[in-house]
Each structure stands twice: as structure tokens, then as C-alpha cells.
Amino acid sequence: MDSGRTLSVFAYQTPIPFPFGQERTGYLVADMEQVIRNARSAGAEVIVEPFKDPIGIDAVIRWPGGVNMQLYWHTVPPKYGPLVTIPDNRVYVSRDEADNFVNDFVMFARGKVVSDEKHAEAGKSDARASFIAGYA
């Protein structure tokens, strides 16, 4: 995966596969077929099979806890400038699926958990935040 941050904006004139566009986060990949195999091996479900878009190929995978994630591969260089700020990138999973999500995503991303802390949030006495570093 690319360690840089990108933002994709498309104006489709044709229907796109449901539920594309409802994912919370996405990653630029270098080899869609290999990354799809890696995602499945790591426990993700492919919910939108790879399809062509105006500048490449997209797919959407779902991790334990219901986290949908876009994967995209550019076959044509995008035409937008670099981001000025780093986008906030959070995913929310239930306490019941947090360990499954973190374990599967860390395996997929070849990353590591750099922090795993409990936080008190409104109405929740045992919320947890894990911060994962890595790339796939």
C-alpha cells in the first residue's frame, strides 16, 4: 500500500455497485488481485468485487465488526493536489468484535499495534482505542 494519503472523488454517471460509497476508509494498493487474496486470508469478506472506475479499479471489503474498507488501484494518475491536512480516520466496532478486527487487520496490513488503551466515553465505562501502524 502507498504510505501517502490520498482522497478520491468521482462523479459517476452510471450506477455503482452497492454498497460502494458507504465505507469509512480506503487504501491505495499496488496489486488488487494480491491484496484481495491477502484480505480474504486475513478474515475479510469481499462485499463489492473489483470493478473499473474512471481511473482504476475499486473493491470493498468488510472486516469483523462490520468495518467496510475501500481498496483502490490507479491505472491512470489522479489529477488532484496533495492534501493540506491529514484526514481523520477512525473506525468503530463493538467490544465483542474489537479483538477480531484488530487481529485480522494487523495481519492484513503487516502492521503492529502501537497503543491499546481504555478510554471512558459518555455512557461507556470500558471503551477501547487501538492505534495500528503498518501497510499491506
Side-chain angles (χ1 to χ4, degrees):
M1 299 219 165
D2 187 309
S3 61
R5 292 164 178 88
T6 61
L7 175 68
S8 297
V9 179
F10 298 114
Y12 283 92
Q13 296 181 11
T14 59
I16 57 173
F18 179 83
F20 182 77
Q22 295 181 358
E23 63 282 346
R24 175 68 176 93
T25 185
Y27 294 91
L28 176 64
V29 302
D31 182 336
M32 183 65 76
E33 290 179 13
Q34 183 62 50
V35 171
I36 292 288
R37 282 193 297 274
N38 292 351
R40 283 185 167 130
S41 293
E45 171 189 7
V46 177
I47 60 172
V48 176
E49 292 291 333
F51 69 96
K52 291 183 179 181
D53 71 25
I55 63 170
I57 300 173
D58 292 274
V60 178
I61 58 177
R62 178 176 293 141
W63 293 102
V67 176
N68 292 350
M69 182 177 294
Q70 176 193 16
L71 303 173
Y72 55 99
W73 180 16
H74 290 162
T75 55
V76 175
K79 296 178 181 172
Y80 47 77
L83 296 177
V84 176
T85 61
I86 298 171
D88 185 23
N89 193 358
R90 301 178 193 191
V91 296
Y92 297 91
V93 296
S94 71
R95 176 176 52 186
D96 297 335
E97 288 292 338
D99 287 334
N100 289 333
F101 170 76
V102 170
N103 291 335
D104 289 355
F105 186 75
V106 166
M107 180 172 49
F108 168 73
R110 292 182 274 170
K112 66 179 181 175
V113 176
V114 296
S115 175
D116 191 2
E117 305 171 10
K118 288 193 173 194
H119 296 275
E121 295 181 11
K124 298 179 182 176
S125 61
D126 59 355
R128 178 175 135 194
S130 294
F131 302 93
I132 303 168
Y135 63 94

